[in-house]
Amino acid sequence: MSGRRERGPLQRAQRRRRELQAQVEALRAESAAPAPGQRKALWRRCMQLKKLVDESTDALHNLKKADEPAPVGNYNQRKEEEEKLLLKLSQQLQKLVLVLDQDNVTTNYAADEEHQKDSQTEDENGEEDESEDEESSEEEDSEETDDEDEDKLLDDPNVKECIAVGNFDAQQEGDLTFTKGEVLLILDKKADGWWVAENSKGERGLVPRTYLAVHREDVDSQEQSEEHIEVVDETADGTEIKKRTDSHWSAVRRAMTENDTVEVLATIGAVPAGFRLSTLFQLLEEGDQFRGSYFLQPELTPSQLAFKDLVWNSEKNTIYPRPTRVSLIVTLSSCKMIPLPGVSIQVLSRHVRLCLFDGNRVLSNIHTVRATWQPKNPQTWTFSPRVTGILPSLLDGDCFVRSNSLSSDIGILFELGITYIRNSTGERGELSCGWAFLKLFTSNGMPVPSKMHELLLNGGTPYERGVEVDPSISRRAGSGVFHQFLTLKKQPVLIVKLRSLSAQSKDILNLLPETLIGSMCYIHLLIFYRQILGDALLKDRISMQSTELICNPILATFPQLMDQPDLMDALRVRYLRSIQLQLTCQDFQIVCKNFSFFYPVKS
């Protein structure tokens, strides 16, 4: 039997960083609203974690490619990404140290206040103050020495019993869940900081070292009555905890806790760490420049005297088709393994927003497709391709995509999102559950093949790199092929299909504007609108130099209808009914005119 392949130094550093990241996230969650008696223990854990992060950074900096037992692709890039992630962890811990170090803030504030009130008696009591300062400095030095001795004693192999200084929930199979104050028997103290422990029920598993302190039975009763020991919960005996009133500490707390909504939700565990505010939703809220109505309207030439994408063909009595560089159909199939938010958030809807993107700018309108899911399997989203009849157009997973952009990096950006309401506050909002980018051209300029594409979702925003949707999935993934395969199966993915166009479909799409994304179920309405547009602006005009105003309710209101799916559905039903009744184009124009009066749209 062949032995298990040894991990390389870089791989071990990546695993170590994931373990530290998980511990930092757990520490930040506990520090969101700590009890007064718990603050020092959290501060000590924070300092220990920062020391471990700094040690990992130094070790990673000293790694060389020659040390790897086997060739590693993109070694320098991977090493640089790990250094950036460790730097981010160090900065988070540094901020947390400032918050948890409230004793210094309180001492300084009390000293300032005493100096303002008793400035006249300062000289008289100078000697006493000096003696007190000397005693306080000696106490601080002794506390630091005690902390160092405590760490050395905790790492002593002969010390087997430890007490938990915080609550820990198992992140994956093999971890041991425990609560604050619980006594654990340490069976194996591993060098990576994850120790094998056993609780009073005989259950065994891995526990993080930073959550433990030495358990000493002979001094436990004495330590319970001292305020500077955080191992014991001060509320256990019903004692009243006084609220802090110093303004300095309140200012520090406000500076650290008044973050954006997503960071607060991630801190309390309501959403995974990779969730963000929806980028595309914010663009839609800024104005009309990313809406379908903006791109549906005819575009003028630079001279402002003619239309760029609307030219009349007098021979065929219709508008000229406009072939574009990108003209295809995208079918949304499904989304799998999408992380679920916590119970404190109620999900109102799930959807996917898509647009053309070149890595820096959005190049088209932003189109939205509503997803459906089953209560038994809420992690899987599905879509409804080829919507017909009375089904809403928002459910249509078939989308046409057109663009004449010459960018070599152009592709389709997909952003998965949810609308939610917080049960505690009633606050509503929209969050991004991840994003994916499908590049439409290869490096040599050839279109990507028309086939099914399975896209791994990224966390953060489209402008962030290296962010996972749910970091806990790969936190301690094994390096073996089988473990990597299992981890890959748990990653959130979006499955889409690119469809090549037939000659007939291509001719239909070429009648649309050069840049537009929309639903295939109402494409006939868009072409009909373009035809009426050509009649009114080109065919029926006496002269192109005429400045006489054109009064046409259809042309005035239809672009705004495209941004309101319910009204588009109503008009789509009218159109299908006119086909069944074999109405002429002129008859349907009358229907559309009446529809515009009965369904006014606010511009």
Side-chain angles (χ1 to χ4, degrees):
M1 180 182 294
S2 59
R4 184 177 180 180
R5 187 176 63 181
E6 183 181 0
R7 294 189 179 94
L10 181 59
Q11 208 171 19
R12 290 196 297 268
Q14 290 174 335
R15 181 183 179 184
R16 178 60 174 160
R17 189 266 306 162
R18 288 194 293 266
E19 294 172 355
L20 291 173
Q21 185 174 357
Q23 296 183 42
V24 171
E25 291 175 359
L27 182 61
R28 291 179 64 190
E30 289 188 32
S31 304
Q38 190 185 7
R39 195 174 307 282
K40 185 177 179 181
L42 293 174
W43 178 85
R44 185 163 58 245
R45 283 172 53 197
C46 188
M47 295 299 295
Q48 293 173 356
L49 273 176
K50 191 174 186 308
K51 181 180 179 182
L52 294 175
V53 170
D54 294 340
E55 292 176 354
S56 299
T57 304
D58 295 338
L60 180 64
H61 183 70
N62 295 328
L63 292 183
K64 298 180 180 179
K65 190 174 183 179
D67 298 334
E68 296 293 329
V72 178
N74 299 327
Y75 180 86
N76 294 330
Q77 181 180 355
R78 293 184 179 182
K79 181 179 177 181
E80 184 179 353
E81 290 177 355
E82 288 299 314
E83 290 178 346
K84 291 181 179 179
L85 293 174
L86 286 173
L87 178 60
K88 183 178 180 181
L89 290 180
S90 180
Q91 293 173 349
Q92 291 176 349
L93 291 172
Q94 185 65 35
K95 292 180 180 179
L96 199 56
V97 166
L98 296 176
V99 175
L100 296 175
D101 193 15
Q102 64 168 355
D103 294 334
N104 292 336
V105 176
T106 308
T107 303
N108 294 337
Y109 174 75
D112 293 340
E113 186 178 12
E114 188 69 22
H115 176 72
Q116 294 175 0
K117 291 183 178 180
D118 303 329
S119 58
Q120 296 180 354
T121 59
E122 182 178 358
D123 295 335
E124 299 177 0
N125 300 329
E127 296 180 358
E128 295 180 2
D129 292 341
E130 291 178 1
S131 61
E132 290 178 358
D133 292 339
E134 292 177 358
E135 292 177 359
S136 61
S137 62
E138 291 177 359
E139 290 177 359
E140 291 178 357
D141 295 338
S142 63
E143 287 179 0
E144 293 179 358
T145 306
D146 293 341
D147 290 340
E148 294 178 358
D149 295 340
E150 184 80 12
D151 292 339
K152 293 180 180 179
L153 185 60
L154 182 62
D155 294 329
D156 189 347
N158 297 323
V159 176
K160 298 296 183 181
E161 286 192 353
C162 293
I163 189 169
V165 297
N167 299 326
F168 175 77
D169 294 328
Q171 302 295 323
Q172 64 181 40
E173 185 177 358
D175 293 349
L176 179 63
T177 300
F178 56 82
T179 58
K180 179 182 176 182
E182 185 175 354
V183 178
L184 301 174
L185 178 63
I186 306 302
L187 304 178
D188 185 11
K189 298 184 177 182
K190 296 181 178 293
D192 61 359
W194 287 88
W195 294 355
V196 180
E198 179 180 337
N199 60 16
S200 58
K201 300 179 182 178
E203 299 171 340
R204 296 186 180 184
L206 294 175
V207 298
R209 174 194 179 277
T210 53
Y211 278 70
L212 304 176
V214 178
H215 177 55
R216 292 173 290 181
E217 296 180 351
D218 55 338
V219 295
D220 277 350
S221 59
Q222 180 180 357
E223 289 178 347
Q224 290 179 0
S225 61
E226 297 179 5
E227 292 182 356
H228 65 278
I229 299 297
E230 285 78 22
V231 173
V232 181
D233 189 356
E234 294 181 358
T235 62
D237 56 356
T239 56
E240 182 179 359
I241 300 176
K242 297 182 179 180
K243 297 183 179 180
R244 304 195 58 87
T245 58
D246 60 282
S247 59
H248 285 74
W249 171 243
S250 300
V252 174
R253 285 291 297 173
R254 282 197 302 270
M256 297 302 300
T257 57
E258 287 183 358
N259 299 321
D260 57 17
T261 304
V262 182
E263 188 170 351
V264 173
L265 294 176
T267 302
I268 64 177
V271 296
F275 280 27
R276 296 288 188 275
L277 290 177
S278 173
T279 302
L280 298 187
F281 175 72
Q282 294 180 54
L283 291 178
L284 286 174
E285 291 295 302
E286 289 179 0
D288 296 334
Q289 59 179 337
F290 296 109
R291 296 185 178 274
S293 57
Y294 179 83
F295 288 87
L296 187 61
Q297 297 176 4
E299 183 180 358
L300 292 172
T301 59
S303 65
Q304 305 290 308
L305 298 177
F307 295 105
K308 179 181 179 181
D309 59 347
L310 192 68
V311 181
W312 187 256
N313 186 349
S314 57
E315 295 180 359
K316 297 184 178 180
N317 199 30
T318 184
I319 58 176
Y320 272 107
R322 304 284 297 182
T324 56
R325 181 172 180 242
V326 176
S327 185
L328 50 87
I329 297 177
V330 179
T331 300
L332 300 178
S333 178
S334 62
C335 308
K336 298 181 179 179
M337 303 304 297
I338 308 302
L340 299 175
V343 295
S344 61
I345 284 183
Q346 178 184 353
V347 178
L348 302 178
S349 66
R350 295 166 168 85
H351 57 265
V352 173
R353 300 191 192 275
L354 61 151
C355 64
L356 290 170
F357 189 65
D358 65 355
N360 295 312
R361 298 178 297 114
V362 174
L363 304 177
S364 71
N365 62 299
I366 300 172
H367 181 62
T368 304
V369 180
R370 184 76 57 83
T372 57
W373 72 97
Q374 298 296 329
K376 294 182 180 180
N377 189 14
Q379 288 186 297
T380 300
W381 303 3
T382 57
F383 305 91
S384 303
R386 299 182 181 179
V387 166
T388 58
I390 61 174
L391 287 178
S393 57
L394 265 178
L395 300 178
D396 190 7
D398 276 348
C399 308
F400 64 85
V401 178
R402 281 176 56 81
S403 176
N404 220 15
S405 173
L406 299 178
S407 173
S408 59
D409 298 325
I410 189 172
I412 304 177
L413 173 64
F414 302 91
E415 185 187 65
L416 279 67
I418 59 171
T419 56
Y420 71 91
I421 180 173
R422 292 184 66 180
N423 297 329
S424 58
T425 63
E427 175 189 359
R428 294 173 180 263
E430 180 169 328
L431 295 178
S432 168
C433 307
W435 61 273
F437 181 70
L438 177 59
K439 198 172 180 181
L440 296 180
F441 293 92
T442 61
S443 57
N444 57 4
M446 296 298 294
V448 295
S450 299
K451 64 175 185 178
M452 194 75 75
H453 296 265
E454 187 172 294
L455 308 174
L456 287 175
L457 293 183
N458 304 282
T461 68
Y463 301 99
E464 296 180 76
R465 295 294 183 269
V467 180
E468 298 181 52
V469 177
D470 190 356
S472 64
I473 297 177
S474 57
R475 179 170 60 90
R476 285 189 294 164
S479 60
V481 177
F482 181 71
H483 288 88
Q484 292 181 357
F485 176 77
L486 292 180
T487 304
L488 187 63
K489 286 293 183 181
K490 297 179 181 178
Q491 294 291 341
V493 295
L494 169 66
I495 302 175
V496 300
K497 182 179 181 180
L498 295 185
R499 292 164 50 191
S500 58
L501 298 176
S502 62
Q504 182 181 3
S505 300
K506 188 174 297 185
D507 292 339
I508 294 176
L509 287 181
N510 285 342
L511 296 175
L512 296 174
E514 290 185 351
T515 302
L516 190 66
I517 298 180
S519 171
M520 286 294 295
C521 71
Y522 54 66
I523 189 172
H524 47 279
L525 294 177
L526 303 182
I527 296 174
F528 187 71
Y529 163 76
R530 293 277 292 178
Q531 183 66 37
I532 300 175
L533 203 62
D535 291 342
L537 299 182
L538 302 175
K539 177 186 175 182
D540 299 336
R541 293 185 69 175
I542 301 175
S543 172
M544 293 301 297
Q545 284 73 33
S546 174
T547 58
E548 184 179 354
L549 295 178
I550 299 175
C551 181
N552 193 310
I554 300 176
L555 301 184
T557 58
F558 187 85
Q560 282 71 35
L561 289 179
M562 189 178 177
D563 298 329
Q564 304 193 35
D566 53 344
L567 297 183
M568 284 295 292
D569 292 335
L571 189 57
R572 186 164 57 94
V573 172
R574 288 278 187 174
Y575 183 85
L576 295 176
R577 189 172 299 171
S578 68
I579 294 178
Q580 295 174 357
L581 298 176
Q582 298 182 352
L583 298 180
T584 64
C585 292
Q586 289 77 11
D587 295 332
F588 185 69
Q589 287 191 46
I590 297 175
V591 172
C592 293
K593 184 176 181 180
N594 295 332
F595 184 86
S596 300
F597 286 124
F598 285 108
Y599 297 90
V601 179
K602 295 181 180 180
S603 57

